[in-house]
Amino acid sequence: MIPVEEALDRVLAGLAPTPAETVGLSEAWGRVLAQPVLARLTQPPMDVSAMDGYALRAEDAATGARLRVIGASPAGHPFPGTVGPGEAVRIFTGGAVPPGADTILLQEDATAEGTHVLPTETPRAGRHIRRAGLDFAAGDTVLFPGRRLTARDTGLAAAANHPWLAVHRRPRIGILATGDEISLPGDPIPPGGIVSSNAHALAGLVKAAGGDPLVLPIAADDRDAIAAAAEAGRRCDMLVTTGGASVGEHDLVQAALGPQGFSLDFWKIAMRPGKPLIFGNLRGTPLLGLPGNPVSALVCAVLFLIPAIRRLSGLPSGPVETRPALLGRDMPANDRRQDYVRGELTRDSAGQPVATPFPAQDSSMLRLLAQAGCLIIRPPHAPAAPAGSIVQVVELSSLGV
Amino acid sequence: MIPVEEALDRVLAGLAPTPAETVGLSEAWGRVLAQPVLARLTQPPMDVSAMDGYALRAEDAATGARLRVIGASPAGHPFPGTVGPGEAVRIFTGGAVPPGADTILLQEDATAEGTHVLPTETPRAGRHIRRAGLDFAAGDTVLFPGRRLTARDTGLAAAANHPWLAVHRRPRIGILATGDEISLPGDPIPPGGIVSSNAHALAGLVKAAGGDPLVLPIAADDRDAIAAAAEAGRRCDMLVTTGGASVGEHDLVQAALGPQGFSLDFWKIAMRPGKPLIFGNLRGTPLLGLPGNPVSALVCAVLFLIPAIRRLSGLPSGPVETRPALLGRDMPANDRRQDYVRGELTRDSAGQPVATPFPAQDSSMLRLLAQAGCLIIRPPHAPAAPAGSIVQVVELSSLGV
């Protein structure tokens, strides 16, 4: 049995980011940037007013002065002339500061009188002026590759005058559920059979992680069927199998795919839930073989498939994020396997997260898994932990899982 | 000026969830459930084995016994007979426990000898058996309305045998940027003009919150143009305007829409950044008027538009989520406006979040906003806060914003 960290390193080492595609700015939200975004202009393009008021020369704005208003400079309509001594230009937020003016008199610090304005305060030179390039200058790199684009980022790319962006292609993840006993929802269920749930849960997880799921038809527990289905998934960036528990799943997948050129990097991971996972390569396509139990499959997918999809997407490599929480109940000492215990995640009166393990941890209980707020991580050989101890947790719903 | 909380209450009070639509299970991830999901079957459907081993009568499994293996019960292929005294059935995880058997002998606690099996341990009755209905029983409500469906939820709905789900229609949010000075990225820029960024950022925010953005063409600072554009957005579930700063934005929108039947619920909110916002109703369509400055527009959208979209989506009503963080730097006392200060969000060595305000807070600085990890909330009249104090923050990237 190898530790979770080593297993993840081995998965990630076998993966490379997808190549770039060009998408319109309106499709770029949530995508991972593949090339830097350099500003194509300077923002603001010239000195502009930060407030509504009057552009004038600071030396003219003494209390008691009376300045002639010679025009206006709203945003988008620069005043075409120059501000001379004793003159002012009505200006609005974002409007260009006209040549000659060196400060902005706020409108609440002025009294308008017909074609003139009377300052009631004296602004110092430079007040309320946003200098050209305050936000960015032409040529500045405003966004760097390897970043999942937020709403703000798409706004920034727009402001930098980019109608198109180069982003990594969404990784296409083939999902192959195997098993004689499973049917699709709504389809006839064979005697003793159950409805397939893992493929649909995994497809949601793939979307949540920024991938593009391809759900393959269910394969029977049969070497030829598995081999044919896996072949159909070979053009994916990664193929994920699940189940096949009826006849010893790992042997079956291995037996079916070995003759197809599958190079196996098999291991048992020192974790719970999670039986032995398969990771390997089917003639160039990385393959991750998950257990068939819903809880084991999902927990393993959170720990290995989400980081794999992120890596394929061009995001920085690494484990799924954890955060500290206070333990809501005593927990016993752990054995040599890293434990991922399903629990509730609440907040105490100070707003600190509190993680409380569920009493039942059976790996077939999908309803309980759906109700879990977090996975509480118990490292190998962790000593007994009293309520109130700090533990690390994986928050599930913030991952979209 | 009214407090942020009261303003939000007024926005949410004017909104109702969208009606339901039917979507296939494979499209349901991330959608908000509109009707309860009742299990259409019992899971597991019968008593099944939790392990690989032998199904037998506990009283027969004494060390030294020798039991005849009369068949097998893999998952999906129930053994058709009954286990009698001195008999055992080979069984696999998920396989039906045959009538007559009352326990599972683990395969590692048994020695197979041709057609017989010799127990090396004695299991007690009921061991390693998952009872019918352990996960859920037919008729149980496994998912409740008003929940954004996670990957686990879609798996659970599948297991409960639902190929279709009723979810709330994604709220369609019309986005209308106004202003003579703005152009779309890549289009010619007028003299003194800038490239429109708010509409694209807001469209990303709408997607992040689960809505469906409809970006309307830019309207000039002209009553007729704004009225026509707003009319085009009236079939949306909400219309959001931004900008029009050049001639006093709120007057202009009000002047343009008043004759169109706009009923205005105008206010100034005691917050910073954020100029007066408009909220009202254009003959049945709720309208939210955001300021034109990118930072003000985005911060106001986080505080008002995200909760509005959630409410329209059928999610529980309420403010955007905040979390505690340690302040990374001293902050001065606050005035009467609630302040949303842009800052970095890092972690200290114990993993606790640390929020450090940026020195510059100008509301035109989109690049700095894109780099912010959080908004640090400073309530009205908050006293000076030294580094290390606990503050509440809005985490931006976890919102997809």
Side-chain angles (χ1 to χ4, degrees), chain A residues 30-31 43 46 110 126 179 181 230 242 270 275 298 303 312 316 333 340 376:
Chain A
R31 304 296 300 269
Q43 178 60 25
M46 73 290 284
E181 77 283 22
T242 170
K275 290 193 172 177
L298 261 287
L303 299 177
L312 289 165
Y340 294 88
I376 302 166

Side-chain angles (χ1 to χ4, degrees), chain B residues 157-168:
Chain B
N161 206 19
H162 284 262
W164 306 100
L165 293 175
V167 298
H168 288 279

Side-chain angles (χ1 to χ4, degrees), chain A residues 67-166:
Chain A
L67 304 169
R68 192 162 64 91
V69 180
I70 58 169
S73 187
H77 299 284
F79 175 70
T82 295
V83 176
E87 292 176 343
V89 160
R90 182 79 171 105
I91 199 164
F92 298 91
T93 303
V97 177
D102 63 7
T103 193
I104 305 298
L105 172 68
L106 298 184
Q107 64 186 19
E108 54 265 43
D109 296 337
T111 307
E113 251 189 38
T115 56
H116 286 74
V117 61
L118 287 65
T120 58
E121 294 280 341
T122 304
R124 55 178 170 71
R127 278 297 284 163
H128 306 302
I129 293 176
R130 290 182 182 139
R131 295 296 173 196
L134 173 71
D135 201 356
F136 49 79
D140 283 357
T141 300
V142 293
L143 292 167
F144 291 85
R147 177 178 175 92
R148 194 184 294 287
L149 294 166
T150 65
R152 293 167 288 157
D153 294 338
T154 59
L156 180 56
N161 207 19
H162 285 262
W164 306 100
L165 293 174

Side-chain angles (χ1 to χ4, degrees), chain A residues 26 152 161 186 207 369 372 401, chain B residues 26 152 161 186 207 369 372 401:
Chain A
S26 58
R152 293 167 288 157
N161 207 19
K207 287 185 191 176
L369 177 67
V401 174
Chain B
S26 58
R152 293 168 288 157
N161 206 19
K207 287 185 192 177
L369 177 67
V401 173

